Amino acid sequence: MRPRTARFRPGWILVSTESARLLSDPSQLAVDLTEVQDEGNGVYLMDAGAYRLIKRVAPLPAGVNAEHSLDLTDEDNGVPVVVLTLSDRLPENEIAPILAHSLAESAATVRALAGATTGNAAADRVFGPAGTPDVDAVLRPSDHGLRAELRQRGRMAERGSVSAARGVHKKIRQLALTMGVADEQPNAELRRTLLTTDELAILDRAKNQTRPLEDRADPLGYFGRSVGSSGVSSVLMGTAAAAFTGNPLVGVGIAVPTIVNAAVGSFTERRLDRQRIDGRRPAYDAERKIREQDHPGLPGLLDTPPPTPSSALSTSPSLPPSPSPALSTSSSLPSSPAKKLPMATAWRNYVTRHTVPTLATAAVAGALTPLGVPAMSTAMVIASSALAKSLAERLVDKKKLEFRLKRLDATERVRLADPDLYVSRIAAEFTDLQRRLDQLSPNHQGTPGTGTPGAPDLADVPGAPPYTVSLSSQLIENISGTARRAFVGGSSKPSANPTPVAEHLSPQVQSLLSAAGPGLLGAVTGAMGDQYFLNRDEIARDAAKLWLRGHQEAAQAAALAGVLEPRLRAFRDFTNHLETLTGTPPNQPSGREPTAETTGHGTAGHEPGRQPGREPGRELPAVTAPPVGARPLARAGWSAYAVQAAAGSLGGVAGAVGLGLVVDIPDLALVLTAAGATGTISATPAARFLFRRHELRVHEALETNKAFKAVNQTELRKQRAVARYLLAQLSIQAEAIVEHSAPRPATDPPAETSPRYTDHVRAAVRQAELDHASETPVPERIHALERVDHWAAQVDSSAGLPAARQELRSAIEQYESIADSNGVRKHFPDLGAVDPADGRRVTGGITGQVRAGTALAIRRLAVEPGAKPQLLERLIALEKLDQAANASDHHAVHGTEESRAYVQEKFDQALAEADQMWRDCGVPQGLVLPALSNTPPEPALDEDDKLRRMVHQLLHHQDRTQGLAEHGSTAHDTPTPDASTSPTNHAAGNNTPRRKPDERHNR
């Protein structure tokens, strides 16, 4: 510990001397520093001359603890120079953690410039809520800084006192949220496997019983709101009652029980808020699933039956329990009947919320009564209103939820129906490509199910809840005031000069009017104030939500564009080539013959073979830009809070005064009403406003800690899965078009001793698998194809041993001997008619096998006829499995022993889930994976290469046809080289195996 006098030194002196003391002995810092040489005047030579540190202390903007910059080289000494500026506002106990953070980050930056392994600086850091540590675990300099700060704070907690350790542990919990390693954060469990044992121990020691990601204000915030509103009003009423009666104990009997009720009620109110959130979640989820049916986005292009329209489904409060068949389960199954969902938490939770503070109030009142304090009347007021409040409050909450559901649903439908939404434009791009390929198909029929989703209905966004809801809420709020006037305000006594109306009313009726009348009028005016407030508060909340949603959509669109744009651009170029070579206009509707005006042949002003409507340079849909400017405040202005509080209070006072003119109202009731209104007007707006501001800070921190503005990886996985399927459909259709327009000439089957023989065999297996996927499956044939694939890999691995070749021949003969239920046998595809590029060897271990298997499974699903059970789920499972394979390979190089075990467990789990899903969908063999070849890896043929090969095949066929025509020959008169040995033919070969003729060579 530093001397007490150090606390009174000026900030820049304190920070300068303390940081110099720490650098003089590097062992005090949790940073890997081999040697620090002080060169004087705040200049240090670090790590035996690795870089030079210039330390400064200066004023920095609020919230910035340190800044550092890097100069690549020092002209005099040729070493990098790091200029570190520490804030002169740093407290003494923050100097060491910030210095350790800055030094570790600076050293990592220098190592990165020296060529050491480092992550992409532009991407999110690994230790951050928005990072993706499964596929990017390479630490950035900022990650090294955070870990050093964590270690430094752990040292401080061990060496400090118990009270000091408590404060350090709080800082560590905040740091854990920043690093994304706290419970409930995305990928927190995986990030923790990247930490050392000592770092994990520091995090575990700092834990407490509170939830790290709490979406409610803390208990102190609830306490301040309750006591700041009800407490101030009760104090003013107690003071007024004591002054009016001349007995201070009367004021104590009113104020103390009410304050106790408000204080205890703040904790039960916070607990009820958690139960409210849990009770509303099923209704929100059900509404979201209905919107997904009406606005499916990319999943709407899947070839499944159209989803059940939302008009056929019941809406809130009865909502469907499961999503559309098109989005989840088998499309041939009938939709589940509507199920009534809860719209609020159970009534018992409301009873508990009001009963607990009531019992506490009764206990306090019972303790005060022997002391001469008349507190039982106040306890009776609170007890009488507790049951009514619990029942009525739940009904009002249900009505408010119905309104919010309608408002949210209408807002989301307007957003999803926007044609400029990036996902909508990508779906339109897929539809356009499909239409153009349909036009080029010989039978003018495209792949089923890739139509444009129907245009949804736009809904009007409701402004505020109905007035009746606000009136009901105000009546609940006035129950206590009515009971207080009845039990505490005294009873009406005959007046010496009664009013004409009072002469005809009994004292009991006048007491009832004096108790309930002000509350009724206050409820009416208070409901008006609520409407005024809600009309402004809902607009402010929506503006903030749309701002956040805009940032999330921009991040999502950028991530999706990075995946899809290269493939879509390649398909667009390929389609342009096809249309140019075939003379097909890009915008010609199916079924119409091209004319001179549409084809451009012989038309003035256009090149031959170039269509006027084609736009080869047209850009793909632009990525959504994030909103510009600061985030709007998600709350109404101060004046709205003041009007809301004043409307009901002034209405109650006006009602009491007005009734006093026509009936005899006890003077104490008038005093209590006026005092309560004064307290409400003066304190309630401030209490509610400050609570809302504190609540917004909690929500904003939660958005950061849960990375709400970052990419939704679950949604991106679904979009990627659907896009891969749609691209596979387009690719298969393009292959069919190329095969019809420019068939690849068949060649003699390669010899068994040919190095590419097994590639031909595997290509034939892939062709046969697609053939079987498009017809009624015969399990024996599928198993036989697996055996052929296995022995082809064995031939590769065993360097062509005769035994393996014999087993391969036997496996092919077994396949041809299998007959279906009609007694029909199939020939093994002609090895000379397939492209060996389609049968490249699968290498790379189990992860390479899985990646190849997922691509083949998607192609089999694309040609599968009829209803495809759980299509979307199976596509997502394949994408999840593919990502798990990538994560396993990445952590094998960049991970820790613990992270490798973690991702391997996730990989095994994803593989087992996908295999079981295929079995549940009627595939006895489960998810079939290709056989592995124990040979050196070969470069994979990606989809872009396939498209280029198809274009080359078209051009080669066109050139060959023109050459034969010039020489008066036919195509079959010209010999063609073997595709397996000719580099030219291999490069121009078609990726899609052509349909085999009736008579062919089998081996």
Side-chain angles (χ1 to χ4, degrees):
M1 293 292 293
R2 298 294 296 161
R4 183 178 298 272
T5 55
R7 304 178 186 178
F8 302 100
R9 287 180 291 177
W12 67 272
I13 297 179
L14 172 64
V15 177
S16 180
T17 55
E18 180 66 13
S19 58
R21 184 186 68 83
L22 292 170
L23 285 172
S24 64
D25 183 8
S27 62
Q28 300 178 90
L29 297 171
V31 185
D32 187 13
L33 295 175
T34 57
E35 181 182 354
V36 177
Q37 181 180 349
D38 188 356
E39 297 183 344
N41 199 25
V43 180
Y44 301 85
L45 192 63
M46 312 294 291
D47 285 345
Y51 66 98
R52 177 169 280 103
L53 174 70
I54 300 177
K55 178 180 65 70
R56 297 171 179 170
V57 179
L60 293 178
V64 179
N65 295 319
E67 291 181 346
H68 68 272
S69 59
L70 176 65
D71 291 335
L72 294 180
T73 58
D74 184 348
E75 295 182 358
D76 297 331
N77 300 287
V79 296
V81 176
V82 175
V83 179
L84 172 63
T85 305
L86 299 174
S87 172
D88 61 353
R89 301 178 184 178
L90 278 178
E92 184 181 7
N93 58 357
E94 287 295 302
I95 297 174
I98 299 304
L99 183 60
H101 183 136
S102 301
L103 291 177
E105 185 171 350
S106 300
T109 304
V110 172
R111 288 196 301 270
L113 292 175
T117 302
T118 184
N120 181 9
D124 294 307
R125 61 179 187 267
V126 176
F127 286 101
T132 52
D134 51 342
V135 294
D136 187 3
V138 182
L139 299 185
R140 280 74 169 164
S142 57
D143 293 314
H144 291 283
L146 289 170
R147 294 179 64 178
E149 181 182 347
L150 175 64
R151 295 191 297 269
Q152 189 68 37
R153 293 190 185 278
R155 290 186 181 184
M156 295 171 60
E158 290 179 354
R159 299 172 182 175
S161 62
V162 175
S163 59
R166 217 176 277 122
V168 174
H169 284 162
K170 183 178 180 181
K171 289 285 187 179
I172 292 175
R173 290 193 294 271
Q174 295 173 352
L175 183 61
L177 291 172
T178 303
M179 296 176 66
V181 295
D183 295 339
E184 302 180 23
Q185 285 189 288
N187 291 316
E189 190 174 357
L190 175 55
R191 287 191 191 91
R192 291 173 68 91
T193 63
L194 299 173
L195 297 175
T196 64
T197 304
D198 293 338
E199 291 167 345
L200 289 174
I202 294 171
L203 292 172
D204 292 337
R205 286 193 296 267
K207 282 185 176 180
N208 59 8
Q209 300 301 319
T210 61
R211 292 179 58 198
L213 292 177
E214 182 59 73
D215 53 357
R216 301 166 296 168
D218 55 26
L220 187 61
Y222 279 85
F223 180 83
R225 182 184 63 172
S226 296
V227 176
S229 55
S230 299
V232 172
S233 298
S234 62
V235 169
L236 289 179
M237 286 190 293
T239 303
F244 182 80
T245 60
N247 184 4
L249 295 180
V250 174
V252 174
I254 293 175
V256 172
T258 306
I259 293 175
V260 170
N261 181 73
V264 177
S266 66
F267 298 100
T268 57
E269 177 72 16
R270 188 172 185 270
R271 181 171 179 268
L272 179 63
D273 277 351
R274 163 55 54 197
Q275 294 163 340
R276 282 170 172 159
I277 294 173
D278 296 337
R280 293 193 296 256
R281 187 171 291 113
Y284 279 110
D285 291 343
E287 286 281 352
R288 176 179 51 80
K289 291 175 181 178
I290 291 180
R291 285 194 298 272
E292 287 180 352
Q293 295 177 16
D294 295 341
H295 307 265
L298 285 180
L301 302 179
L302 295 178
D303 47 345
T304 52
T308 305
S310 60
S311 58
L313 301 171
S314 60
T315 55
S316 56
S318 295
L319 298 169
S322 61
S324 165
L327 297 179
S328 62
T329 56
S330 173
S331 55
S332 61
L333 297 176
S335 59
S336 303
K339 179 181 178 181
K340 188 173 182 179
L341 294 175
M343 300 293 286
T345 187
W347 181 49
R348 64 178 178 274
N349 296 326
Y350 289 86
V351 174
T352 302
R353 181 261 178 270
H354 292 284
T355 301
V356 172
T358 299
L359 294 176
T361 302
V364 171
L368 291 176
T369 300
L371 302 178
V373 179
M376 290 305 299
S377 58
T378 302
M380 292 176 60
V381 168
I382 295 172
S384 63
S385 61
L387 182 63
K389 277 189 173 183
S390 63
L391 177 62
E393 190 174 357
R394 185 174 187 271
L395 296 176
V396 170
D397 280 353
K398 291 176 64 176
K399 293 297 182 182
K400 287 183 177 180
L401 178 59
E402 289 180 11
F403 158 75
R404 292 193 180 276
L405 285 173
K406 292 178 181 178
R407 183 178 180 87
L408 175 64
D409 184 68
T411 303
E412 282 295 293
R413 287 180 182 274
V414 170
R415 183 185 65 83
L416 294 171
D418 184 3
D420 291 332
L421 196 67
Y422 183 74
V423 174
S424 300
R425 287 183 288 172
I426 288 295
E429 182 70 20
F430 272 112
T431 303
D432 180 65
L433 287 171
Q434 180 66 73
R435 177 190 59 78
R436 293 168 66 183
L437 290 179
D438 285 345
Q439 185 177 332
L440 292 165
S441 297
N443 55 2
H444 289 278
Q445 291 181 358
T447 307
T450 54
T452 305
D457 297 330
L458 295 179
D460 294 329
V461 180
Y467 177 79
T468 54
V469 175
S470 299
L471 180 61
S472 302
S473 178
Q474 285 294 322
L475 289 173
I476 294 172
E477 293 293 331
N478 281 279
I479 290 176
S480 297
T482 300
R484 182 176 290 107
R485 284 185 290 270
F487 289 102
V488 182
S491 58
S492 298
K493 298 179 180 179
S495 174
N497 297 311
T499 63
V501 176
E503 292 177 354
H504 299 84
L505 298 177
S506 64
Q508 293 78 11
V509 174
Q510 294 185 56
S511 297
L512 180 62
L513 289 175
S514 64
L520 292 175
L521 183 58
V524 172
T525 57
M528 296 178 183
D530 282 352
Q531 293 293 105
Y532 177 88
F533 172 80
L534 290 174
N535 280 328
R536 286 151 181 79
D537 192 62
E538 291 294 337
I539 293 175
R541 289 177 184 236
D542 284 350
K545 289 177 182 178
L546 289 176
W547 183 89
L548 177 63
R549 185 69 175 179
H551 275 279
Q552 202 277 330
E553 282 182 356
Q556 199 77 21
L560 184 60
V563 176
L564 290 184
E565 280 192 353
R567 297 295 318 282
L568 289 176
R569 187 173 289 108
F571 263 107
R572 181 185 283 180
D573 294 341
F574 170 76
T575 308
N576 289 342
H577 279 296
L578 276 180
E579 290 171 344
T580 301
L581 293 172
T582 59
T584 306
N587 298 317
Q588 182 73 25
S590 297
R592 286 181 53 187
E593 295 296 331
T595 63
E597 289 78 8
T598 58
T599 60
H601 291 288
T603 305
H606 298 288
E607 300 178 25
R610 170 86 177 268
Q611 288 75 37
R614 180 172 290 113
E615 302 176 39
R618 182 168 60 93
E619 291 296 328
L620 291 172
V623 176
T624 305
V628 180
R631 176 177 185 156
L633 289 176
R635 57 169 173 77
W638 163 260
S639 60
Y641 286 87
V643 170
Q644 182 191 33
S649 301
L650 294 178
V653 173
V657 173
L659 282 174
L661 299 177
V662 295
V663 298
D664 293 327
I665 295 181
D667 294 337
L668 183 57
L670 287 172
V671 171
L672 292 177
T673 301
T678 303
T680 299
I681 294 174
S682 60
T684 298
R688 291 180 177 176
F689 182 84
L690 294 175
F691 176 80
R692 179 59 182 164
R693 190 171 66 178
H694 176 60
E695 192 175 40
L696 288 178
R697 284 199 294 265
V698 173
H699 291 170
E700 290 173 3
L702 185 67
E703 292 168 5
T704 301
N705 294 330
K706 296 196 76 171
F708 285 164
K709 289 196 293 185
V711 178
N712 185 337
Q713 296 296 332
T714 302
E715 180 67 18
L716 180 62
R717 182 186 299 126
K718 181 173 74 172
Q719 293 171 340
R720 288 172 56 128
V722 175
R724 285 185 67 185
Y725 178 81
L726 297 176
L727 290 169
Q729 286 184 318
L730 294 175
S731 179
I732 292 173
Q733 189 175 8
E735 292 166 7
I737 294 171
V738 172
E739 183 65 18
H740 179 269
S741 303
R744 193 172 63 86
T747 61
D748 292 333
E752 289 187 358
T753 57
S754 171
R756 310 302 296 180
Y757 173 74
T758 54
D759 290 351
H760 283 263
V761 173
R762 274 185 290 269
V765 170
R766 306 295 173 248
Q767 177 61 57
E769 288 175 344
L770 290 181
D771 291 342
H772 292 310
S774 60
E775 59 189 25
T776 303
V778 179
E780 293 79 8
R781 285 178 179 163
I782 298 175
H783 179 71
L785 288 175
E786 291 184 46
R787 187 166 177 263
V788 173
D789 192 26
H790 167 76
W791 283 110
Q794 291 299 311
V795 170
D796 294 332
S797 304
S798 58
L801 291 179
R805 298 189 188 278
Q806 178 59 37
E807 290 289 348
L808 179 57
R809 288 193 295 269
S810 175
I812 296 175
E813 291 171 356
Q814 179 189 5
Y815 170 82
E816 294 183 330
S817 66
I818 296 173
D820 59 15
S821 58
N822 297 322
V824 178
R825 292 179 172 83
K826 281 188 173 290
H827 292 286
F828 194 68
D830 184 4
L831 299 187
V834 297
D835 187 351
D838 292 334
R840 291 198 176 190
R841 301 170 186 179
V842 178
T843 59
I846 181 62
T847 54
Q849 185 182 25
V850 161
R851 277 188 289 269
T854 56
L856 295 174
I858 291 174
R859 288 179 65 86
R860 289 194 293 267
L861 281 174
V863 300
E864 187 177 303
K868 303 179 182 182
Q870 299 189 46
L871 176 59
L872 181 59
E873 279 74 10
R874 285 198 279 174
L875 293 175
I876 294 175
L878 289 175
E879 184 67 21
K880 181 179 179 181
L881 179 58
D882 197 74
Q883 290 182 352
N886 294 336
S888 180
D889 287 347
H890 180 77
H891 280 261
V893 179
H894 302 289
T896 63
E897 184 177 351
E898 292 78 10
S899 72
R900 284 190 283 272
Y902 180 89
V903 296
Q904 182 63 41
E905 180 184 357
K906 294 296 182 182
F907 173 76
D908 295 338
Q909 180 182 351
L911 181 58
E913 289 175 355
D915 184 75
Q916 186 59 46
M917 188 175 293
W918 255 252
R919 297 179 189 277
D920 294 341
C921 292
V923 182
Q925 295 80 12
L927 179 63
V928 178
L929 299 179
L932 274 172
S933 296
N934 188 18
T935 58
E938 295 183 349
L941 183 70
D942 60 20
E943 294 296 330
D944 293 342
D945 290 335
K946 290 182 179 180
L947 292 177
R948 285 190 289 268
R949 286 163 56 86
M950 285 190 280
V951 172
H952 194 180
Q953 181 178 343
L954 285 169
L955 296 174
H956 182 74
H957 176 79
Q958 187 181 47
D959 294 341
R960 185 179 58 192
T961 303
Q962 292 175 354
L964 293 175
E966 292 175 358
H967 291 83
S969 305
T970 58
H972 63 269
D973 293 330
T974 303
T976 56
D978 188 351
S980 63
T981 58
S982 173
T984 303
N985 193 44
H986 184 271
N990 177 25
N991 180 51
T992 304
R994 61 194 296 262
R995 295 283 182 176
K996 53 184 178 292
D998 294 335
E999 297 180 358
R1000 74 199 64 215
H1001 296 285
N1002 289 326
R1003 288 183 291 279

